[in-house]
Amino acid sequence: MSDEATSQKLTELAKRRGYFFQSSDVYGGVGGFYTFGPQGAALKGNLEDAWRDRFAVEEGNMEIDAPTIMPEPVFESSGHLDTFDDMLVECPECGESHRADHVVEDNTEYEDAEGLPIPEVEEIVAEYELVCPSCGAGLAGQAIDDFNLMFATNIGPGDSQPGYLRPETAQGIFVEFPRLKEYARNTLPFGVTQIGRAYRNEISPRRSIIRTREFTQAELELFVDPEGDNPDLSAVEDVPVRLYPATEQEAVDGEILETTIGEAAEKGIVASPWIAYYLGVAREWYAAVGVDVDRFRFRQHLAGERSHYASDCWDAEGLIDGNWIELAGFSDRGDYDLSKHAEGSGERFTVFRQYDEPQTVERASVDPDMSYLGPEFGGDAAAVADALKSLAERDREAFSGDVVEIDLEGESHEIPVEKTGFTVQDETIAGEHVTPHVIEPSFGVDRLLYTVLHHAYAEDEVDGEDRTYLALEPEIAPTFVGVFPLQSDDDLEATADEIAAALRAEGLSVTYDDSGNIGRRYRRQDEVGTPFCVTVDYESLEDGAVTVRERDSTAQTRLAIGDLSEALAALRAGDVEFEDLA
């Protein structure tokens, strides 16, 4: 069965079994917004918990929960107001808006039109005579404009403060750095995680929950000393990975490289040891939650597609419908974010690095003669003094002559050095303030959920009947065990109720079903992805044992009711295999 056919069937299953469906459907729905039903919400929560366990708890990182609405200055400083754009082209006939880069990628050999400048995309549209995906009208000659993806809002009544719904969770971490570093005892490296909603006003949402206007991110911002120690790669050096570096993408006969994290780091295929470390951690984690590693790779961003803040970036990608979709990004953001927020807020976004031993350094300073600057520059005297201080810190040679030249609002001024109070003195210092660099693994939860379902979707034949099932990992399956009385019988139902209650008390997700014949109940749970089913029959009333059925193989075994909770908990934890219970 083709991937496309799988996607169509999966979308139908998702709606039928309560995984996800378009929101506000009774009012006609709106593109880019989805509701996660009972099964989907549970699966999403399990994936988030699994991510939190691995990237927050196990790594020893903090977790915060920041607001989804932030004031405009945050996004002025971050660059989102100026650079967070997609290419918009509007059809001259039907008026529908489309992402121009998607139109190009869907209808030409160009695979990365997003990284091209707008004039070049306009030329491609004209050269290939591309048409509107909605009505077929020609788009050649239509202007392509930058469209900012942030949702704008107002904070407060009256003369309200402009704000935006966050387009990523990262900024909520960055703006709180001055406080968060105190919680980390001003010691690098330290990490801060956040799982939460983000919002992007996509021009043309598409492909179900893969591209939406509201989605959940799980992000880690790791703050590291740019001159500090690198991570210990020994824990992940043997992890196998499939890498598609930029050099291979640009080569005529480029190919995906099959290697290990250790080899990739040693050969410089992945330049940053921190990114290499998290690629290894992520590869193991994705496999653990059910992503098919044969349909998974890491692709390096080409220079033209990297975000404005990133010096390097690798995407984790899953194969869906014959296309590779981004599941996560691993970026080296340098000191861009903290430097920009320091500049925008006037606060200090640094950590004090203590020297092993105090050091003596030469420090240049000025003590301007304000009795001279005041009459000479009037209201600009303070600005001149600040300019002199800044110049002394960065270029003491400027004070080597009789006069020093400064620039004030584009106008050059000469000031006698003797009036500046310029001096160079020895100073003993215990350390220095450094702006940390940021390593960011950023995961899309909704896309991961869809990929896990897509990779878990399977069809086979059981007892002469076609069967659809989701081979979800027990750890993340929304319902872990179904409990059934074999027939409508007071004694069977009472025992099944007691078993269901006991399993729930042990923290297992349980569904109770007494509707229809036992085969149909098995099929329902198979389609939902429930790993195990427990059936209470008349023998159970005699021998105190029940039938336990495994989803993928449909194999069955008998277990004593008293051993059931412990056995199922061991299965969920992966401590035993089902065949070991026989």
Side-chain angles (χ1 to χ4, degrees):
M1 181 171 50
S2 69
D3 270 2
E4 186 174 354
T6 298
S7 291
Q8 293 173 349
K9 292 185 177 182
L10 180 59
T11 300
E12 295 169 1
L13 183 153
K15 181 185 292 188
R16 185 172 65 253
R17 294 302 183 195
Y19 272 100
F20 57 84
F21 43 86
Q22 190 173 41
S23 299
S24 306
D25 197 41
V26 295
Y27 288 99
V30 58
F33 294 95
Y34 281 82
T35 294
F36 290 92
Q39 298 296 332
L43 175 58
K44 188 166 178 279
N46 290 343
L47 289 170
E48 291 171 3
D49 288 342
W51 188 91
R52 179 179 289 109
D53 288 344
R54 184 62 189 89
F55 290 90
V57 177
E58 192 171 337
E59 292 289 304
N61 295 319
M62 296 182 279
E63 181 177 3
I64 69 167
D65 185 4
T68 58
I69 295 176
M70 306 180 77
E72 186 174 66
V74 170
F75 301 109
E76 288 178 340
S77 295
S78 69
H80 283 88
L81 282 182
D82 295 328
T83 62
F84 200 67
D85 304 314
D86 274 344
M87 301 181 200
L88 181 148
V89 62
E90 185 174 305
C91 175
E93 295 295 329
C94 70
E96 285 289 319
S97 296
H98 305 282
R99 275 190 60 169
D101 53 317
H102 285 174
V103 174
V104 168
E105 292 167 357
D106 291 345
N107 298 281
T108 73
E109 73 277 11
Y110 290 91
E111 296 181 355
D112 181 35
E114 183 179 4
L116 300 177
I118 283 180
E120 187 171 343
V121 175
E122 289 177 334
E123 291 175 3
I124 294 171
V125 170
E127 177 185 351
Y128 285 83
E129 299 181 345
L130 300 182
V131 300
C132 171
S134 300
C135 72
L139 296 176
Q142 291 300 113
I144 297 175
D145 300 311
D146 280 329
F147 174 75
N148 193 279
L149 299 177
M150 288 195 295
F151 283 99
T153 187
N154 295 310
I155 303 172
D159 294 331
S160 55
Q161 181 181 12
Y164 294 89
L165 276 70
R166 64 187 184 192
E168 60 179 13
T169 65
Q171 298 306 318
I173 296 175
F174 295 141
V175 298
E176 306 302 346
F177 176 83
R179 189 178 302 276
L180 294 171
K181 72 176 182 180
E182 301 298 331
Y183 301 150
R185 301 183 302 282
N186 289 282
T187 302
L188 297 173
F190 72 89
V192 183
T193 66
Q194 183 169 201
I195 301 174
R197 297 296 180 95
Y199 305 85
R200 298 179 184 179
N201 195 11
E202 293 283 352
I203 295 170
S204 52
R206 59 182 187 170
R207 302 181 66 187
S208 186
I209 59 173
I210 291 176
R211 184 174 295 278
T212 57
R213 290 180 167 123
E214 179 181 10
F215 52 94
T216 299
Q217 287 183 308
E219 293 193 303
L220 162 62
E221 308 302 332
L222 184 76
F223 300 99
V224 302
D225 188 330
E227 299 178 8
D229 295 333
N230 288 320
D232 180 4
L233 292 180
S234 61
V236 296
E237 62 182 352
D238 294 328
V239 173
V241 286
R242 305 172 74 232
L243 303 180
Y244 197 21
T247 52
E248 293 297 321
Q249 296 173 58
E250 293 168 340
V252 175
D253 55 350
E255 58 184 6
I256 295 175
L257 306 181
E258 303 271 357
T259 184
T260 65
I261 289 295
E263 291 175 353
E266 183 180 351
K267 294 179 180 179
I269 300 170
V270 181
S272 165
W274 280 111
I275 288 184
Y277 173 76
Y278 281 110
L279 293 186
V281 171
R283 162 59 173 77
E284 292 188 308
W285 182 78
Y286 274 120
V289 297
V291 173
D292 181 0
V293 295
D294 290 331
R295 290 181 277 178
F296 180 81
R297 72 181 186 185
F298 292 108
R299 184 185 68 84
Q300 187 179 25
H301 280 204
L302 299 173
E305 65 177 311
R306 281 201 302 267
S307 297
H308 58 280
Y309 51 73
S311 61
D312 192 17
C313 183
W314 289 76
D315 282 349
E317 295 183 329
L319 188 61
I320 300 291
D321 297 342
N323 298 305
W324 292 97
I325 66 166
E326 177 190 351
L327 301 178
F330 300 80
S331 300
D332 183 344
R333 300 178 74 128
D335 65 358
Y336 174 88
D337 301 282
L338 298 188
S339 296
K340 287 296 184 180
H341 286 302
E343 180 183 333
S345 68
E347 298 293 329
R348 176 172 280 176
F349 282 69
T350 59
V351 169
F352 186 74
R353 181 199 289 153
Q354 187 85 24
Y355 294 147
D356 294 335
E357 295 181 1
Q359 299 180 10
T360 300
V361 298
E362 288 186 341
R363 187 80 75 193
S365 64
V366 294
D367 182 18
D369 182 353
M370 299 306 292
S371 65
Y372 169 79
L373 296 185
E376 188 73 16
F377 295 98
D380 291 331
V384 171
D386 289 340
L388 289 169
K389 178 181 179 182
S390 176
L391 182 60
E393 291 174 351
R394 69 176 187 271
D395 182 15
R396 66 182 64 175
E397 292 301 318
F399 294 82
S400 60
D402 293 332
V403 297
V404 59
E405 185 175 323
I406 65 164
D407 181 82
L408 190 65
E409 295 183 353
E411 187 175 348
S412 180
H413 300 276
E414 290 187 346
I415 301 167
V417 170
E418 64 180 14
K419 301 296 184 180
T420 67
F422 175 79
T423 60
V424 178
Q425 297 178 327
D426 288 342
E427 181 179 342
T428 301
I429 57 175
E432 62 180 321
H433 286 274
V434 298
T435 302
H437 285 201
V438 176
I439 303 297
E440 179 192 69
S442 174
F443 292 67
V445 177
D446 308 59
R447 289 185 175 190
L448 170 61
L449 183 148
Y450 186 87
T451 302
V452 166
L453 290 177
H454 195 282
H455 288 185
Y457 185 92
E459 295 178 354
D460 64 4
E461 187 177 290
V462 176
D463 297 331
E465 294 183 1
D466 293 336
R467 178 178 75 131
T468 296
Y469 66 101
L470 295 176
L472 298 171
E473 292 293 328
E475 179 189 2
I476 58 98
T479 303
F480 178 69
V481 58
V483 177
F484 314 142
L486 181 63
Q487 296 180 4
S488 295
D489 178 284
D490 290 345
D491 292 335
L492 296 181
E493 291 171 352
T495 302
D497 279 335
E498 291 175 4
I499 291 173
L503 296 178
R504 290 189 183 106
E506 293 297 321
L508 300 177
S509 175
V510 180
T511 186
Y512 178 91
D513 190 354
D514 60 5
S515 174
N517 67 55
I518 194 69
R520 288 184 176 231
R521 282 180 269 173
Y522 283 151
R523 297 295 179 271
R524 280 198 290 268
Q525 294 310 310
D526 290 344
E527 197 170 46
V528 167
T530 304
F532 303 100
C533 290
V534 172
T535 301
V536 179
D537 54 30
Y538 288 106
E539 289 183 38
S540 304
L541 304 179
E542 301 294 332
D543 62 10
V546 292
T547 297
V548 181
R549 174 186 181 270
E550 195 266 343
R551 175 197 61 213
D552 296 352
S553 66
T554 72
Q556 300 183 7
T557 191
R558 296 284 290 184
L559 282 180
I561 294 174
D563 297 334
L564 193 57
S565 294
E566 183 178 351
L568 288 172
L571 286 169
R572 189 178 191 279
D575 295 335
V576 299
E577 298 295 330
F578 184 78
E579 53 266 26
D580 298 332
L581 301 180

